[in-house]
Amino acid sequence: MLANVVLSTLIVCIPSTFLAILIGVPAGYFLKVKRFKYRKMLIRIVYTLSGLPPVLAGLLVYILLSRKGPLGFLDILFTKWAMIITQVILIVPIVTLYTLSGLKNIDSVLENLDYLNVKGCKRHTAIVREYLKEIIYAIVLGLSRAISEVGGVLIVGGNIEGSTRILTTAIIFEITKGEFSHALLLGAVLLAISFTFNTILQILQGDAFD
């Protein structure tokens, strides 16, 4: 049971974080370097969404994916896909805001690239290298949010044993049964996974033992 719950947790959290990074980092970059009408309003909306309650995100996704909802034809409610979608909605604003605040001196970097006539893929690669630490921090934030989320995934996943039960929802289930020792064990496993992910990312960043 534990191995299946851990596997389900990883299957949900890793893809949702990866997708959120693919969306949030470019979105943060766009908001940082581009100047357009209603830009400040859009940033305020992103700030608001960064505090979106997980249960509200779960409710919205539930309505969209329910049989009578506009996306009901997908038939993915109470599956890991629905859980991933919910987590992406919750993580993207956080990653976007961190990217927006983390791209310090981006104007100087872009000016240097223009001076060197660096364009296309080489330009994007250079920007990623320059802000690799910030991107890794964004991944850490995304994973932390994903692995600790419970309200939204509980609504759209249904906490189905052997299918959509992950560590956080399993902890809730054990608490409702009064099995507090089991809940604490699952909590320890959750912390261990989070610690492992963060350590790996810090090693990649080069400051794990500073």
Side-chain angles (χ1 to χ4, degrees):
M1 172 189 172
L2 179 59
N4 186 64
V5 171
V6 171
L7 181 61
S8 294
T9 301
L10 297 177
I11 290 174
V12 170
C13 293
I14 293 177
S16 61
T17 302
F18 180 73
L19 290 173
I21 293 296
L22 288 180
I23 299 170
V25 171
Y29 173 81
F30 178 81
L31 289 173
K32 183 69 174 182
V33 303
K34 301 296 182 180
R35 297 294 182 268
F36 53 90
K37 194 176 182 180
Y38 303 123
R39 172 179 173 271
K40 291 184 178 179
M41 176 64 73
L42 185 56
I43 291 175
R44 283 197 290 270
I45 291 173
V46 175
Y47 267 102
T48 302
L49 291 177
S50 68
L52 181 67
V55 289
L56 179 55
L59 176 60
L60 293 174
V61 174
Y62 182 95
I63 292 172
L64 288 173
L65 298 179
S66 63
R67 287 189 176 182
K68 295 183 179 180
L71 299 179
F73 64 92
L74 295 175
D75 195 25
I76 58 173
L77 189 61
F78 301 128
T79 68
K80 291 184 178 70
W81 284 110
M83 298 166 74
I84 290 172
I85 292 171
T86 303
Q87 289 201 344
V88 169
I89 292 172
L90 291 169
I91 300 171
V92 165
I94 296 174
V95 173
T96 301
L97 285 182
Y98 184 81
T99 303
L100 183 62
S101 62
L103 293 177
K104 300 175 181 178
N105 304 318
I106 184 64
D107 291 334
S108 299
V109 172
L110 294 177
E111 286 178 6
N112 291 335
L113 292 175
D114 288 336
Y115 177 77
L116 296 172
N117 197 31
V118 179
K119 298 180 180 180
C121 292
K122 290 184 178 180
R123 184 183 183 90
H124 297 144
T125 302
I127 294 172
V128 169
R129 287 179 178 175
E130 180 69 23
Y131 294 100
L132 183 59
K133 283 192 174 184
E134 284 72 17
I135 293 174
I136 290 177
Y137 276 132
I139 295 173
V140 170
L141 285 174
L143 271 174
S144 298
R145 179 63 186 261
I147 206 167
S148 61
E149 206 284 305
V150 59
V153 293
L154 184 61
I155 292 173
V156 301
N159 197 24
I160 302 171
E161 185 176 0
S163 178
T164 60
R165 181 166 297 172
I166 60 177
L167 282 167
T168 50
T169 60
I171 290 172
I172 296 296
F173 181 69
E174 294 298 332
I175 290 174
T176 59
K177 293 195 303 179
E179 298 287 350
F180 298 107
S181 58
H182 291 168
L184 287 172
L185 174 62
L186 292 171
V189 173
L190 187 65
L191 286 174
I193 293 174
S194 180
F195 179 81
T196 301
F197 276 135
N198 290 335
T199 300
I200 292 172
L201 290 171
Q202 286 182 335
I203 289 173
L204 292 174
Q205 196 176 40
D207 59 0
F209 305 106
D210 289 351

